[in-house]
Amino acid sequence: MSTTTKILDPAFQGAGQRLGTEIWRIENFQPVPLPKTDHGKFYSGDSYIVLQITSGRGGAYIYDIHYWIGRDTSQDESGTAAIKTVELDAALGGRAVQHRELQGYESDKFLSYFKPCIIPLEGGVTSGFKKPEEEKFESRLYVCKGKRVVRMKQVPFARSSLNHDDVFILDTENKIYQFNGANSNIQERAKSLEVIQYLKDKYHEGKSEVAIIDDGKLVAESDSGEFWVLFGGFAPIGKKPAGEDDVVPEKTPPTLYSINDGQLKLEEGTPSKAMLENNKCYLLDSGAEVHVWVGRVTQLEERKVACKAAEELINGQNRSKATRIIQIIQGYETHSFKSNFESWPLGSGTGSSGGEEGKGKVAALLKQQGVDVKGCAKNAPINEEIPPLFEGGGKVEVWRINGSAKTPVPKNEIGKFYGGDCYIVLYTYHSGDRKEEYFLACWIGKESIQDDQVMADRLANTMWTSMKGRPVQGRIFQGKEPPQFTALFQPMVVLKGGLSTGYKKFIAEKNVNDETYATDNIALICVSGTSVHNNKAVQVDAVATSLNSYDCFLLQSGSSLFIWQGNSSTFEQHQWATKIAEFLKPGVALKHAKEGTESSAFWFALGGKQSFSSKRVMSDIVRDPHLYTISFYKEKIEVTEVFNFSQDDLLTEDILILDTHAEVFVWIGQSVESKEKQKAFDMGQKYVELAVCLDGLASDVPLYKVTEGNEPCFFTIYFVWDSTKAAVHGNSFQKKLSSLFGAVFHASEPVEKSNNANQSGPTQRSISFSSTFFSI
């Protein structure tokens, strides 16, 4: 990449060194750092640059730069913000994703940095307006939009601003009111409660009373009467007028343009990765989003021109202000960009190779500035900590699939799996003082037949349904066993061959050798585990090249059983190998062989002595987890990321995907309809197929479905988990109201279903609580 800055703007000196948020305001056409105490304050007359630094794979930093344009900012100031954003990106190594943010139309990602909301303030650094904190308290009316992040917009304090479709907050000096339109979304009602708590704490010292007003609520009730008096008395409110705020840009088939001297040239054909040349800039228009893609060897001035071309395209076509402009560098393509392509081939020039180059350039740049770069450029060590596991002492039951039935595996055989078979595993346990918990999993052998795989899935689903959806259900493939699964078996051994009728018939028809482990065969078993969560042993080809100096091996030859210890193997591995030998052949006399001291009988059993590996097999580097909502557009799956997610983003009406790269979870809210719950695995599988193409996810990644209220420890570890929140019942609004304010409801209060765009309860029945519930 040949992008450099001759003179680094002093305001950007040392930027991007620490995780978190950094903000600059444009003052006199120069970026000025904003104190942490002012983060979240955005004046409508100003423009800002926001840098978000997060940790990515291998410990590398990920940069997102947003330039926020206030409604009343000048064109020159907004232009300065755009240009300075490109310069900041160049200073960071040219690998940041750049986003344009217009006041009132901010992206979810931007708003997620300032939860629960930002409230744009009137005025600006160069305006003559007074700052709100310098004024006497003034009652304000806001409309709130958004299910997970809130877009706050101040509207005129008048009855004509209210409607039946939205949620409004009226902030007065002594009381804060939330008005829920009869057709408003139940999740927007819930999120608005967080805004009320924020206003109460920030502007009322936590002492203001709070009242909830339902559209159609009886005027005679005190809170409702007070509310309408502020609007000059009760009167019917009108329908919501159509406005630009409600125009959601439609996704369109992607169109690719190359950018030459600021001019767009249409690239014929379906967009593909092969069209993107590293010395050019391109514009990908998908309707709702416009991506500017810049090749690694483009110059700084070319990138500035490309960004301007995107602005001109949107303005020239009079597009909705909600249309996103996102600029990305080659090798750091986002999920939303790659999803516009049929597939995104993995290989050189992107991903890790680009990442290493970017990290190196950032390190070099910061070193020139005299900055300590050790946190930016080195890989994080492999995580050796024990992962969260199930409570011990539970009951393990295992069934092997055989035809249309499941055959119980004898207790003394539990832990022994054949690669030609499929199994169902049920673990029943107690977690602390909680109710009985269940983990239900299908284990799919690599050599198993399709009919057995389908039957395993079908029978497991039947068990899940009969247990009223309480178990955590998993689909686990041989070779991808997660720690919590492996830990259930002491030990776990995976052998070649299979015992099911279907597998044996398949072997006979193919006329191939059945390699099922038996006492009179030669078999070699690799033991690589060192603790309870990775103590798996796997049968490998019985040849010398299968050996590895970092592992232990069991070699069966006729009636003899050797235990071979690699020079770099550990004492714990030796212990596991001995335990596995006793499990497979109780009472057998072991013959010990250390690397370099093997007998001729040992090598003879392996077909002769050969060289073997002395390199450690490295584990995958842990990646940050991502949470997604899932939807379908013209029968094609689409995922939308929930940024900076928390437990509060698990809304009871929704189905969500948590992708940790090592595992994929489908989380199902309590209020999701039964037929949708049954489709959860299918939705998860469609997500996996998409992520395989776009993100390099393994197709055999463990896949789970988890129902609300039954989340296991290896799911909750990715959240700051509050079990008291999980125990609250009701819809999203009821849960949030109870969580924040301890409200009490009528027992007859209904729980709305999840599939309606607008969800609300009866308009003439109020929630049973008094405003004194909220006064402190």
Side-chain angles (χ1 to χ4, degrees):
M1 184 175 61
S2 59
T3 304
T4 57
T5 49
K6 294 180 180 178
I7 301 176
L8 178 67
D9 194 303
F12 297 145
Q13 184 80 21
Q17 297 179 50
R18 297 176 182 175
L19 299 177
T21 308
E22 299 177 39
I23 304 178
W24 296 263
R25 179 165 59 182
I26 302 302
E27 299 180 10
N28 297 319
F29 308 110
Q30 293 297 322
V32 176
L34 204 64
K36 290 282 185 184
T37 54
D38 286 338
H39 282 199
K41 293 181 180 179
F42 292 88
Y43 289 91
S44 61
D46 291 332
S47 294
Y48 298 79
I49 296 173
V50 177
L51 170 62
Q52 184 71 14
I53 308 105
T54 54
S55 179
R57 70 184 73 172
Y61 284 170
I62 297 174
Y63 299 115
D64 284 276
I65 308 175
H66 306 254
Y67 58 102
W68 187 89
I69 310 299
R71 181 186 63 244
D72 302 318
T73 192
S74 70
Q75 189 171 352
D76 288 341
E77 269 197 357
S78 64
T80 299
I83 291 172
K84 289 296 180 181
T85 294
V86 178
E87 292 179 4
L88 174 59
D89 174 31
L92 294 171
R95 59 197 179 100
V97 179
Q98 301 171 38
H99 314 256
R100 184 189 70 155
E101 308 286 352
L102 298 184
Q103 180 180 339
Y105 304 91
E106 296 89 350
S107 66
D108 286 4
K109 187 166 194 173
F110 179 81
L111 292 174
S112 73
Y113 308 148
F114 308 101
K115 287 183 176 180
C117 65
I118 62 171
I119 301 178
L121 306 171
E122 295 297 325
V125 67
T126 59
S127 71
F129 296 127
K130 292 181 180 179
K131 293 184 178 181
E133 51 264 36
E134 296 173 353
E135 300 174 348
K136 183 180 178 181
F137 189 93
E138 176 185 340
S139 295
R140 290 183 172 86
L141 182 65
Y142 301 96
V143 61
C144 302
K145 298 177 183 292
K147 298 194 298 184
R148 289 185 173 80
V149 291
V150 180
R151 289 171 184 81
M152 293 282 288
K153 181 180 179 182
Q154 185 175 349
V155 293
F157 185 4
R159 184 188 294 106
S160 58
S161 294
L162 302 174
N163 61 63
H164 301 294
D165 298 317
D166 291 323
V167 178
F168 294 83
I169 291 177
L170 176 60
D171 186 12
T172 70
E173 189 166 7
N174 298 314
K175 201 166 189 175
I176 307 174
Y177 300 85
Q178 177 169 318
F179 177 82
N180 297 324
N183 302 321
S184 61
N185 184 284
I186 201 74
Q187 294 172 336
E188 288 188 339
R189 297 184 189 185
K191 203 66 185 176
S192 297
L193 290 172
E194 293 183 18
V195 176
I196 287 181
Q197 184 68 55
Y198 172 77
L199 292 172
K200 179 179 176 180
D201 293 339
K202 190 170 182 66
Y203 298 110
H204 298 272
E205 300 180 346
K207 297 179 181 179
S208 177
E209 292 185 354
V210 175
I212 309 299
I213 309 299
D214 289 332
D215 187 5
K217 189 174 182 178
L218 299 177
V219 179
E221 296 188 15
S222 60
D223 288 340
S224 183
E226 287 178 4
F227 177 79
W228 289 111
V229 164
L230 296 172
F231 288 89
F234 176 80
I237 58 176
K239 293 184 177 180
K240 180 180 181 179
E244 187 179 19
D245 290 358
D246 302 303
V247 177
V248 179
E250 289 190 10
K251 186 176 177 64
T252 60
T255 305
L256 184 67
Y257 301 89
S258 57
I259 305 175
N260 300 293
D261 297 326
Q263 302 300 311
L264 301 182
K265 178 186 175 184
L266 178 64
E267 297 290 323
E268 301 290 344
T270 304
S272 70
K273 182 181 177 183
M275 293 181 177
L276 306 175
E277 300 179 23
N278 65 0
N279 61 344
K280 292 183 179 180
C281 296
Y282 295 83
L283 188 150
L284 184 70
D285 184 3
S286 59
E289 295 179 327
V290 174
H291 285 90
V292 177
W293 184 94
V294 295
R296 285 202 307 270
V297 297
T298 53
Q299 299 294 326
L300 180 61
E301 291 306 316
E302 293 178 87
R303 300 181 183 192
K304 291 180 180 179
V305 170
C307 184
K308 186 177 180 182
E311 294 262 10
E312 292 175 349
L313 174 72
I314 289 178
N315 295 334
Q317 296 181 356
N318 198 26
R319 296 273 192 96
S320 166
K321 291 182 179 179
T323 305
R324 307 268 173 240
I325 296 180
I326 305 166
Q327 183 166 313
I328 52 178
I329 181 69
Q330 180 183 3
Y332 295 90
E333 292 86 358
T334 61
H335 194 287
S336 63
F337 177 81
K338 291 187 288 187
S339 65
N340 290 286
F341 297 78
E342 288 298 323
S343 66
W344 189 263
L346 302 176
S348 61
T350 62
S352 60
S353 61
E356 293 302 320
E357 180 187 29
K359 282 190 290 182
K361 288 191 175 293
V362 172
L365 176 68
L366 296 179
K367 190 173 183 179
Q368 290 173 3
Q369 301 172 19
V371 175
D372 181 8
V373 297
K374 64 180 180 180
C376 299
K378 70 177 182 179
N379 284 342
I382 297 174
N383 186 3
E384 292 288 350
E385 295 180 1
I386 296 177
L389 305 174
F390 292 116
E391 294 284 340
K395 179 183 178 182
V396 180
E397 299 172 87
V398 182
W399 296 266
R400 186 179 65 252
I401 302 302
N402 194 21
S404 60
K406 60 183 194 293
T407 303
V409 173
K411 189 173 182 179
N412 64 340
E413 292 282 306
I414 288 178
K416 187 185 296 184
F417 294 82
Y418 288 92
D421 292 335
C422 295
Y423 298 81
I424 294 175
V425 176
L426 176 63
Y427 183 59
T428 306
Y429 65 103
H430 285 86
S431 178
D433 297 329
R434 297 178 63 188
K435 62 185 184 302
E436 207 166 43
E437 306 277 3
Y438 304 97
F439 174 63
L440 176 67
C442 288
W443 185 89
I444 310 296
K446 285 183 178 179
E447 305 301 325
S448 60
I449 63 173
Q450 183 70 24
D451 287 349
D452 283 353
Q453 295 178 17
V454 171
M455 186 56 61
D457 190 54
R458 184 179 302 166
L459 293 175
N461 279 332
T462 300
M463 292 176 67
W464 184 81
T465 302
S466 69
M467 300 172 77
K468 299 181 180 179
R470 286 179 59 192
V472 175
Q473 186 177 354
R475 182 185 299 162
I476 296 167
F477 293 89
Q478 178 185 341
K480 287 289 186 177
E481 294 86 357
Q484 62 275 4
F485 181 84
T486 303
L488 297 179
F489 308 98
Q490 300 298 312
M492 179 178 178
V493 185
V494 181
L495 303 172
K496 292 190 175 186
L499 303 179
S500 78
T501 303
Y503 174 77
K504 289 181 176 179
K505 182 180 179 182
F506 170 77
I507 291 295
E509 290 175 351
K510 293 294 184 180
N511 194 27
V512 296
N513 182 38
D514 182 359
E515 296 182 278
T516 301
Y517 177 82
T519 56
D520 56 349
N521 286 342
I522 293 177
L524 184 65
I525 297 173
C526 174
V527 182
S528 57
T530 58
S531 59
V532 67
H533 65 277
N534 62 6
N535 65 339
K536 186 178 61 176
V538 180
Q539 184 177 356
V540 295
D541 292 338
V543 292
T545 54
S546 295
L547 299 174
N548 188 300
S549 296
Y550 278 89
D551 297 325
C552 284
F553 288 80
L554 292 173
L555 173 62
Q556 177 187 293
S557 177
S559 60
S560 299
L561 188 61
F562 296 87
I563 180 169
W564 183 87
Q565 301 172 11
N567 285 337
S568 299
S569 61
T570 65
F571 176 71
E572 289 80 9
Q573 286 173 293
H574 306 166
Q575 288 183 310
W576 280 119
T578 303
K579 186 172 184 176
I580 291 165
E582 180 64 24
F583 174 61
L584 293 175
K585 298 190 70 175
V588 68
L590 285 172
K591 296 182 179 181
H592 292 269
K594 288 188 176 182
E595 181 180 345
T597 65
E598 302 87 353
S599 66
S600 58
F602 178 88
W603 292 122
F604 179 79
L606 293 178
K609 185 176 182 180
Q610 298 182 61
S611 60
F612 51 84
S613 176
S614 59
K615 295 181 179 179
R616 182 192 293 271
V617 177
M618 302 300 290
S619 302
D620 288 340
I621 294 174
V622 176
R623 302 189 190 183
D624 287 340
H626 295 271
L627 186 69
Y628 299 99
T629 60
I630 191 167
S631 60
F632 293 89
Y633 173 74
K634 294 184 178 179
E635 300 184 354
K636 182 180 179 182
I637 186 173
E638 291 190 347
V639 295
T640 303
E641 184 161 3
V642 180
F643 299 101
N644 297 313
F645 64 84
S646 68
Q647 184 182 355
D648 288 337
D649 290 308
L650 301 174
L651 302 179
T652 188
E653 297 84 9
D654 286 349
I655 294 178
L656 296 160
I657 300 284
L658 176 67
D659 181 0
T660 72
H661 200 74
E663 297 170 300
V664 172
F665 300 84
V666 183
W667 182 90
I668 309 166
Q670 290 177 346
S671 300
V672 173
E673 292 185 352
S674 296
K675 63 180 181 180
E676 293 298 317
K677 291 180 180 179
Q678 294 293 338
K679 298 177 183 177
F681 252 132
D682 291 337
M683 295 173 71
Q685 185 58 42
K686 289 186 187 315
Y687 167 80
V688 169
E689 291 168 1
L690 176 68
V692 166
C693 295
L694 301 182
D695 288 340
L697 186 70
S699 60
D700 56 357
V701 64
L703 176 64
Y704 308 91
K705 63 179 176 184
V706 177
T707 54
E708 182 182 5
N710 298 297
E711 295 87 352
C713 56
F714 57 96
F715 175 86
T716 59
I717 190 68
Y718 296 103
F719 301 82
V720 177
W721 195 261
D722 183 348
S723 57
T724 60
K725 290 182 178 180
V728 178
H729 295 283
N731 61 40
S732 292
F733 177 66
Q734 293 167 341
K735 284 173 175 283
K736 183 63 66 177
L737 193 59
S738 178
S739 173
L740 289 179
F741 304 112
V744 178
F745 300 95
H746 284 303
S748 60
E749 189 68 21
V751 176
E752 287 81 7
K753 298 300 181 182
S754 64
N755 290 337
N756 298 324
N758 296 313
Q759 303 158 350
S760 61
T763 58
Q764 291 296 324
R765 188 173 68 215
S766 66
I767 296 173
S768 176
F769 63 87
S770 165
S771 62
T772 56
F773 249 95
F774 306 104
S775 60
I776 298 176

